[in-house]
Amino acid sequence: MQLEKELLRQKIKGLLVEILSIYTPSGEEERAKDFFEKVSKEFNLPLEISKHNSYFLGKGDILLASHIDTVPGFIQPKVEGGFIYGRGAVDAKGPLIAMLLATYILNERGYKVQFAALADEEGKSKGARELVNSGIRYNYIIVGEPSNTFDVIVEYRGVLHLDILCKGNSQHSSSSKENLIIDLSKKILEIYREPINYDDFSIVPTIIKSGDYINMTPSEGYLHLDIRYSTKNSKDEILGLIRNEFKTCDIKIVEDIEPVKVDVNSNIVKAVMRGIIKQGYKPKLARKAGTSDMNILKNISKEIVTYGPGNSMLEHTNNEKISIDEIFIALTTYINAIEELCLKKK
């Protein structure tokens, strides 16, 4: 039996408040186990839990994938004026609940769709990497991230995280001729690239540590660089620039996620766009400056896109909130899009 509209809205509110009440920062996703076991029984969808505590409901060659982890800092959930507040309301438990209910409804209608609440998206994307390494492939994937409810995300930048360790000669500060802090500072100024334009790569220092004594110049310095780049940039050229400036230092790549850009004329993009239009709203193609699990999951599906409810400006803030209306629109969009794709296959 399909849920009526008002009943469905009440279900959205109940499930979202419940999942927001469970604090699941990256690494503590196992806290959500009881929630998904309960939902599995209620929705009659088989549950699988992976090694890294990702949760899968249902089976099928279409995947609705969001993430269960959040950034640190619990926010007590509340409902106020049609909005639901709490850590992860926007990123990404709001999209997750929209996908969960869409999966239930679609399976009730006879469509074989799988739902995934992936682990560690805010960390090293262990859940997405685990899924890719499993060998499973999907015909279509929609990634549930906040996209302002009407934006359809077709591009994400890639990211490089570099650890750089430099060594120098420690000398007494009263007579020092060498200073590793000054040397590092000059190198940082040479390679620094402010994140201004999407298609221009950025190089941003985020951590610098050096020195142990108040009257000695340091013998060792540590620097971390956060690099973002689009499909129009060359990763090798960026690394070459860094290596040329830090020739005498040890450079370690600690994270390497390539950018992703999908065909705007692909079936999945057009289906999601029409899923929004069908409700009387105007969709917009968009791209994001950061990265998401879409950058990784693109390796297991030729047809992939990111779409979800929620104001992306509220991600990771202490004022995370999302409306039931936004979630309902996204839920309906998922259903419309997948029904179109399945009917096209027939």
Side-chain angles (χ1 to χ4, degrees), residues 150 274-283:
F150 305 114
R274 283 194 285 262
I276 298 170
I277 293 169
K278 193 173 179 181
Q279 298 174 73
Y281 302 108
K282 186 176 180 180

Side-chain angles (χ1 to χ4, degrees), residues 3-242:
L3 295 168
E4 298 294 335
K5 182 176 180 179
E6 192 50 44
L7 182 59
L8 185 53
R9 291 171 63 87
Q10 290 300 315
K11 196 68 177 174
I12 289 170
K13 182 170 72 172
L15 286 173
L16 183 53
V17 170
E18 185 176 356
I19 196 66
L20 290 176
S21 300
I22 306 169
Y23 184 43
T24 54
S26 303
E28 299 184 37
E29 293 89 349
E30 74 279 359
R31 292 169 177 256
K33 181 181 177 182
D34 289 348
F35 173 85
F36 286 110
E37 286 180 341
K38 185 196 77 170
V39 168
S40 170
K41 293 176 182 176
E42 181 181 350
F43 291 168
N44 193 30
L45 293 171
L47 171 66
E48 291 184 17
I49 305 174
S50 76
K51 176 183 175 182
H52 290 297
N53 290 307
S54 293
Y55 300 91
F56 297 88
L57 289 166
K59 296 285 187 181
D61 56 14
I62 298 175
L63 179 68
L64 294 179
S66 189
H67 62 93
I68 185 59
D69 65 313
T70 68
V71 294
F74 181 71
I75 300 172
Q76 185 64 43
K78 65 177 181 178
V79 182
E80 191 175 277
F83 284 88
I84 302 174
Y85 294 74
R87 172 63 70 217
V90 173
D91 187 19
K93 291 182 177 180
L96 183 144
I97 292 302
M99 286 188 154
L100 177 60
L101 285 168
T103 300
Y104 163 65
I105 292 170
L106 285 161
N107 275 275
E108 285 288 292
R109 294 179 182 179
Y111 302 105
K112 298 302 180 184
V113 178
Q114 186 173 46
F115 163 86
L118 298 174
D120 196 46
E121 193 273 348
E122 302 292 359
K124 300 291 186 181
S125 289
K126 292 177 183 176
R129 295 180 191 278
E130 184 181 38
L131 181 57
V132 169
N133 292 334
S134 73
I136 297 173
R137 296 292 182 268
Y138 297 92
N139 290 336
Y140 304 103
I141 297 177
I142 302 177
V143 178
E145 286 282 342
S147 67
N148 304 315
T149 310
F150 305 114
D151 291 350
V152 180
I153 310 300
V154 295
E155 188 172 356
Y156 279 94
R157 291 201 297 179
V159 62
L160 284 166
H161 282 289
L162 304 184
D163 280 344
I164 302 177
L165 185 65
C166 301
K167 295 184 181 296
N169 294 316
S170 181
Q171 300 175 347
H172 197 284
S173 58
S174 65
S175 58
S176 63
K177 302 298 181 184
E178 295 182 36
N179 194 316
L180 186 57
I181 292 175
I182 300 302
D183 292 343
L184 275 174
S185 299
K186 289 177 179 178
K187 292 179 185 297
I188 290 170
L189 289 173
E190 283 296 318
I191 55 94
Y192 174 62
R193 295 283 294 266
E194 187 178 353
I196 299 175
N197 298 316
Y198 186 94
D199 287 320
D200 292 334
F201 66 87
S202 63
I203 302 176
V204 177
T206 55
I207 304 173
I208 183 168
K209 297 177 182 177
S210 189
D212 295 304
Y213 304 102
I214 61 172
N215 60 352
M216 298 287 289
T217 61
S219 61
E220 194 169 277
Y222 164 77
L223 172 68
H224 184 86
L225 296 179
D226 183 318
I227 300 165
R228 307 287 171 148
Y229 66 104
S230 76
T231 54
K232 294 186 177 181
N233 306 133
S234 166
K235 179 175 69 175
D236 290 339
E237 288 181 10
I238 297 170
L239 288 172
L241 186 155
I242 303 295

